Amino acid sequence: MRAARRRNTELSLLILALIIGSGALALVAVARSTDRLADVIPFMIVLVVGYVCAHLVMRRFAREADPLILPLAAILNAIGLAVIYRLSPKGSGPAQVSWTVVGLVFFAATLMLVRDFKVLSRYKYILGFVGLGLLLLPATPLGTPINGAKLWIRFGGFSFQPGELAKICLVIFFAAYLAERKELLAIASKKVLSFHIPDLKHFGPLLVMWGVSLAVMFYEKDLGSSLLFFSIFLVMLYIATARFIYMAFGFLLFFAGAYIGYQVFDHVQLRVRIWLDVFNPDLIQGDAYQMAQSLFALATGGLFGTGFGQGRPDLIPAAETDFVYSALGEELGLMGTVAILMIFMLIVARGLRIAVRARDDFGQLLAIGLTVTLGVQTFIILGGVTRLLPLTGITLPFVSYGGSSLLSNFILIALLIRISHQGAAEPDPAATAEILIGGRGSVPR
Amino acid sequence: MPVLVLDVLKYAFLAILYLFVARAVKAIYVELRPQAAGGGAPKSSAKGAARPSKRTKKPTRTVAVIEDEKLKGKTFAVDGELFIGRSSDSDITLDVSYVSSKHARLFERDEKCMLEDLGSTNGTYLNRRRITAPTELQRGDQIKIGRTIMEMRK
């Protein structure tokens, strides 16, 4: 009964999300003289059919799962689609619709194939090596540099960003590894200045991850992924062991890495200069142009935005990928961007709740890892485009244009949904106790 | 399309967007509520079960483990005082990381059986409520420590 109620909640939220998404596409079409409403109707149909199918798959394969994850992802995906279509009605727009369909197929396939997420922990070393391989693959001659960063693999007519898939493989590996070792890593054998310090050798895994993150930064010039992988591991390590010292040491390593990066690479120095001095006349027409345009777009948007199709978000370079949030800010204003932010926060909140309800260490750490991946990635890019942090190019989950990103994020939420389903489906000990008490109380003595 | 119409549509769109956020938040709230109501249910049944125990007061009280990986089905006599914790010298040893080494104790005073939390990290729950002070136990009450659930007998 509870499962049916959850699925009905999900359906009603999903319908609202799809109405909003279709509305956004329709608004783009009616606002611009170059588009007709008939152009976007096929997109709406694909979106509605795709998500309703995903919902039906959940009814069949994850009945007890959290009812919010899918509608929240759907609304981000649909609004992102409207913005991408608005920016590129012939190129990226239709491509993103196709990628959404592919993503939903992978979402359904993940739910169907991974019937028990605990099975994943058996393949931890394979997944760990695959993840590491994917992460470092673009550094080999196979990688193609785009905009200075080497994160792409090209085969045939396709280009693919293996780092996006690597993050899921590595999160599974971290979760399995840490679930196995958490007690060992948490043992504090020494006490220095009232701090409990674990054995020095237990800092090894953190150092290894630091090395991998540095390698990504050095060979692929991808600051965003480098930061993302390191922070995911750090948060998971902290949650597994509850030892603050790892966090402190991790921050130390992060600042050391950032300092080395700043000293060695011109492009890191340039990012920091743009961040601190975006309106410098020497930079604004050149290197800081993109950042400045992003801020102008947000300023133009004001509180309520210009309305879909009525701003000029196309002036921001890379508006459909990294800077999609600024494009949204111009046309939906602060109100729209805050709503998007709240939706991301709700996803993270649900993810953490799924982790709390998971019944084993592996499930708990996996849910945490997947949630943190989404949350940190969102934070890094939103901080970048709003000039809270130096910009590190990375996609905004579900909103940005990009097949690899969309696909891996759909797999990510499918795994979260699977953990959520199993957390709720297995008999709740408290509920069993209630039945026992109820039964005994009714027996006359 | 006239600008005025587009402006109205823009505000309408933002309003529906916030409606979605509000509905999502409400769904979370609704999901949490039945659990709060469910917490009251075992209490009322426990009260009903407690009444006969007052008539048939017996000196030996026992506590039965009804949910635990290792100890499920075992019964322990309170016999004056009973310590529960992770340390091996406890009367009921629960070797789980959520449990503090000296977690809680049950003790008898003036014909009553009391439950006291010994400053544990994750708390001791009586009928799903976290206790903050020594609390009287009734027959049928359930005590939850970590993931272990015990029930008062007699």
Side-chain angles (χ1 to χ4, degrees):
Chain A
M1 205 188 83
R2 189 183 56 174
R5 196 174 59 221
R6 283 190 170 173
R7 295 282 69 79
N8 293 341
T9 311
E10 179 178 83
L11 185 60
S12 72
L13 278 171
L14 193 59
I15 290 170
L16 190 57
L18 291 170
I19 290 172
I20 294 170
S22 306
L25 278 168
L27 278 176
V28 170
V30 296
R32 301 201 309 172
S33 49
T34 47
D35 305 306
R36 283 174 302 122
L37 197 56
D39 294 338
V40 293
I41 285 175
F43 294 174
M44 294 179 189
I45 294 171
V46 170
L47 209 57
V48 170
V49 171
Y51 274 101
V52 169
C53 288
H55 169 73
L56 292 176
V57 169
M58 278 186 69
R59 272 193 189 258
R60 173 83 179 78
F61 292 98
R63 282 161 34 77
E64 305 262 358
D66 188 280
L68 275 103
I69 302 278
L70 186 66
L72 291 170
I75 196 164
L76 291 175
N77 182 208
I79 290 179
L81 189 62
V83 177
I84 293 161
Y85 174 77
R86 183 246 173 281
L87 289 161
S88 168
K90 294 283 179 286
S92 306
Q96 182 78 345
V97 177
S98 322
W99 282 120
T100 301
V101 174
V102 176
L104 284 168
V105 168
F106 271 81
F107 172 85
T110 309
L111 278 182
M112 287 177 197
L113 294 175
V114 186
R115 303 298 279 273
D116 181 359
F117 70 84
K118 293 182 197 87
V119 171
L120 294 173
S121 70
R122 269 189 247 148
Y123 303 108
K124 60 174 180 287
Y125 288 111
I126 297 175
L127 285 166
F129 278 115
V130 168
L132 202 62
L134 285 171
L135 188 60
L136 300 177
L137 197 60
T140 64
L142 283 167
T144 329
I146 296 181
N147 299 331
K150 252 181 128 180
L151 3 152
W152 297 83
I153 292 286
R154 210 180 274 278
F155 51 83
F158 276 104
S159 50
F160 176 68
Q161 222 174 328
E164 290 284 349
L165 214 56
K167 68 186 185 190
I168 293 177
C169 298
L170 286 176
V171 165
I172 298 171
F173 167 69
F174 294 159
Y177 172 82
L178 290 171
E180 209 176 78
R181 306 282 161 92
K182 59 179 265 193
E183 266 90 20
L184 196 69
L185 291 167
I187 294 168
S189 49
K190 297 186 193 73
K191 205 173 175 186
V192 181
L193 297 168
S194 80
F195 281 112
H196 292 281
I197 310 279
D199 233 17
L200 275 179
K201 67 178 180 207
H202 293 150
F203 286 98
L206 193 56
L207 280 168
V208 169
M209 260 325 284
W210 187 61
V212 172
S213 299
L214 281 184
V216 171
M217 185 165 83
F218 275 71
Y219 293 109
E220 296 168 27
K221 310 215 176 346
D222 182 10
L223 302 176
S225 306
S226 171
L227 178 58
L228 180 64
F229 284 110
F230 187 64
S231 39
I232 293 168
F233 184 74
L234 191 57
V235 171
M236 289 176 78
L237 182 64
Y238 177 56
I239 285 171
T241 59
R243 288 268 166 233
F244 183 73
I245 187 75
Y246 284 126
M247 211 68 176
F249 186 61
F251 269 93
L252 213 69
L253 286 178
F254 165 74
F255 285 115
Y259 182 75
I260 295 170
Y262 184 80
Q263 291 300 322
V264 173
F265 292 117
D266 297 343
H267 72 271
V268 177
Q269 285 174 20
L270 184 63
R271 292 282 171 86
V272 174
R273 260 186 82 200
I274 293 169
W275 175 50
L276 293 174
D277 201 13
V278 62
F279 297 123
N280 185 328
D282 298 337
L283 288 171
I284 198 157
Q285 283 306 326
D287 295 317
Y289 179 78
Q290 186 180 38
M291 194 63 231
Q293 287 300 327
S294 162
L295 296 177
F296 292 153
L298 290 168
T300 310
L303 197 54
F304 293 102
T306 58
F308 267 122
Q310 297 173 87
R312 287 298 307 277
D314 49 306
L315 291 176
I316 318 165
E320 8 176 296
T321 53
D322 295 356
F323 281 83
V324 73
Y325 195 68
S326 312
L328 256 162
E330 178 161 357
E331 303 213 312
L332 292 180
L334 181 67
M335 297 301 281
T337 48
V338 166
I340 298 294
L341 209 53
M342 284 163 84
I343 292 166
F344 273 111
M345 283 164 73
L346 284 173
I347 295 190
V348 171
R350 293 319 281 177
L352 295 182
R353 184 167 164 76
I354 291 170
V356 167
R357 290 182 65 101
R359 275 155 215 287
D360 60 322
D361 291 338
F362 174 62
Q364 208 150 48
L365 284 165
L366 184 56
I368 287 280
L370 295 171
T371 308
V372 166
T373 306
L374 249 162
V376 170
Q377 189 168 346
T378 306
F379 176 73
I380 290 174
I381 187 60
L382 295 192
V385 299
T386 55
R387 211 165 71 94
L388 178 71
L389 308 169
L391 177 72
T392 49
I394 196 168
T395 55
L396 183 59
F398 291 110
V399 186
S400 288
Y401 171 73
S404 321
S405 158
L406 205 54
L407 207 136
S408 59
N409 284 317
F410 270 117
I411 297 174
L412 189 153
I413 59 162
L415 290 176
L416 262 183
I417 283 170
R418 172 54 70 220
I419 300 169
S420 158
H421 171 73
Q422 280 176 258
E426 281 161 37
D428 183 18
T432 330
E434 229 174 272
I435 295 161
L436 279 172
I437 292 167
R440 199 165 293 111
S442 60
V443 176
R445 278 175 68 101
Chain B
M1 198 153 275
V3 176
L4 184 70
V5 178
L6 289 176
D7 252 15
V8 171
L9 287 174
K10 175 180 88 181
Y11 291 116
F13 180 79
L14 284 172
I16 307 179
L17 192 56
Y18 276 90
L19 177 73
F20 175 84
V21 175
R23 289 278 302 274
V25 171
K26 190 176 162 233
I28 295 175
Y29 174 73
V30 167
E31 210 197 38
L32 289 174
R33 208 177 39 190
Q35 276 200 325
K43 206 188 163 207
S44 60
S45 65
K47 262 183 197 159
R51 242 168 255 132
S53 79
K54 273 178 188 161
R55 271 183 273 128
T56 57
K57 223 167 261 170
K58 276 177 189 170
T60 52
R61 292 185 171 88
T62 55
V63 57
V65 180
I66 51 176
E67 199 55 58
D68 187 81
E69 273 178 21
K70 288 174 202 139
L71 299 173
K72 186 171 178 169
K74 291 219 169 99
T75 347
F76 298 88
V78 178
D79 198 22
E81 198 173 32
L82 183 98
F83 281 96
I84 304 169
R86 203 180 60 231
S87 68
S88 53
D89 56 295
S90 312
D91 299 299
I92 304 179
T93 306
L94 304 172
D95 194 16
V96 186
S97 52
Y98 310 110
V99 178
S100 303
S101 52
K102 285 213 183 311
H103 197 108
R105 77 175 173 135
L106 290 151
F107 60 98
E108 289 176 312
R109 183 197 287 160
D110 309 333
E111 299 281 88
K112 287 176 190 163
C113 185
M114 310 286 279
L115 172 67
E116 183 188 12
D117 183 85
L118 301 171
S120 68
T121 313
N122 293 315
T124 303
Y125 292 80
L126 175 61
N127 296 327
R128 293 200 177 183
R129 298 227 170 83
R130 188 167 179 163
I131 60 160
T132 47
T135 313
E136 194 187 340
L137 288 167
Q138 307 281 339
R139 195 185 80 101
D141 278 359
Q142 52 169 310
I143 302 160
K144 184 164 176 247
I145 290 170
R147 281 178 185 166
T148 307
I149 297 175
M150 284 162 279
E151 191 193 286
M152 283 306 292
R153 300 271 160 86
K154 289 177 193 170

